[in-house]
Amino acid sequence: MSETEMRLDDLPNLSAGNFRSVSEEMLEQGNRPTHPVRVLLLYGSLRERSYSRFLAQEAERLLKALGAETRIFDPSGLPLPDDAEPDHPKVRELRDLSIWSEAQVWCSPERHGAMTGILKTQIDWIPLSTGAVRPTQGKTLALMQVSGGSQSFNALNQMRVLGRWMRMVTIPNQSSVPKAYLEFDDDGRMNPSPLYDRVVDVVEELMKFTLLVRGRSDYLVDRYSERKAERAANDTVAQAAQGVVR
């Protein structure tokens, strides 16, 4: 008996046919895309002078400087979840952009100690799965928030939970901009400061993680439990077909 067989023999609850060794070759090679990194940016306020929009736009400028292709979704006119059909034009636009993207940036104000309903509504309209397509699974995510008062991380923490729920690779770094009304000039450009430097850090890290993950995300999210369930379903279908033939 080989060493591998001995190790599997000690795991009686394991479905050996669905258990696979991790392949360094798959991780190193992957299917390397050559197009620019595609980044979708979402923000969480509809005010004319929206600091979350300003911060998202600042991140977009940095992403473009790093060679990314970007889209910022305008949430104005997006209906509340379950208050319209999925074929609503704004819903279709958001979902199409989510599928198009390889990375996302979520930027929310902190309102009443939480992320805004505007940002949450956008996430709620993005399904975990659409048929065989999972619009967010395996994609990278960067998080940012703005606050009217002192520095806080409440919105960031909530969005991090959401990112995990959406099966996204949420990068470790993040940006929290306190007293945002002091950090942007009259044209909505962010002033130079350590807070701006942190935004640069976050954008750089998002690009690096995205380049590491894209082309490999299908392999990274390939799961034992799902392989096992799929094989069981296929076996059931095959057995039923044999029964009909007989």
Side-chain angles (χ1 to χ4, degrees):
M1 181 180 292
S2 69
E3 184 178 348
T4 300
E5 289 173 333
M6 290 177 63
R7 288 197 299 265
L8 293 179
D9 191 53
D10 194 39
L11 295 167
N13 296 327
L14 189 72
S15 173
N18 297 297
F19 187 70
R20 299 173 185 169
S21 298
V22 175
S23 169
E24 290 188 44
E25 183 179 357
M26 289 291 293
L27 289 171
E28 290 170 358
Q29 293 181 357
N31 179 23
R32 297 291 188 106
T34 57
H35 60 261
V37 171
R38 298 168 178 166
V39 187
L40 170 63
L41 299 97
L42 307 179
Y43 61 90
S45 169
L46 298 179
R47 293 176 178 175
E48 182 178 352
R49 190 165 173 80
S50 166
Y51 295 109
S52 64
R53 186 180 76 249
F54 291 163
L55 186 55
Q57 290 170 337
E58 205 68 49
E60 180 185 39
R61 295 182 187 100
L62 292 164
L63 286 163
K64 286 182 175 179
L66 291 172
E69 183 180 358
T70 62
R71 301 284 190 276
I72 295 182
F73 177 72
D74 178 1
S76 180
L78 182 69
L80 290 172
D82 303 325
D83 198 35
E85 296 299 321
D87 61 354
H88 186 283
K90 292 296 290 189
V91 176
R92 285 203 313 270
E93 178 189 356
L94 175 60
R95 292 185 172 188
D96 288 346
L97 285 173
S98 184
I99 292 171
W100 166 86
S101 69
E102 297 166 321
Q104 296 187 16
V105 176
W106 298 351
C107 183
S108 177
E110 181 169 317
R111 185 173 295 167
H112 299 316
M115 63 188 292
T116 63
I118 294 168
L119 196 287
K120 182 62 162 56
T121 291
Q122 294 172 76
I123 309 307
D124 285 347
W125 270 119
I126 300 173
L128 274 175
S129 62
T130 305
V133 177
R134 289 177 172 169
T136 54
Q137 178 170 263
K139 298 181 179 182
T140 51
L141 172 65
L143 303 173
M144 302 180 178
Q145 80 163 71
V146 294
S147 304
S150 58
Q151 192 170 52
S152 175
F153 302 93
N154 290 328
L156 287 169
N157 291 337
Q158 289 181 325
M159 289 189 289
R160 194 166 288 276
V161 170
L162 271 177
R164 184 173 68 245
W165 187 261
M166 300 299 287
R167 299 179 175 180
M168 303 182 79
V169 180
T170 308
I171 68 170
N173 216 337
Q174 58 188 19
S175 168
S176 174
V177 180
K179 297 182 179 179
Y181 57 89
L182 298 177
E183 299 301 329
F184 294 87
D185 64 21
D186 291 342
D187 295 323
R189 297 302 303 270
M190 194 171 185
N191 299 321
S193 72
L195 293 170
Y196 175 81
D197 295 345
R198 185 62 173 264
V199 174
V200 179
D201 291 346
V202 171
V203 169
E204 282 186 345
E205 189 170 296
L206 178 65
M207 286 292 289
K208 292 173 184 176
F209 270 78
T210 305
L211 289 169
L212 281 172
V213 169
R214 73 171 188 166
R216 302 176 176 89
S217 59
D218 287 344
Y219 180 68
L220 288 169
V221 299
D222 179 40
R223 297 182 176 91
Y224 162 79
S225 60
E226 294 180 354
R227 292 195 299 269
K228 182 180 175 183
E230 183 178 1
R231 175 173 287 187
N234 290 338
D235 289 346
T236 299
V237 171
Q239 290 170 4
Q242 290 175 359
V244 170
V245 171
R246 290 175 186 171

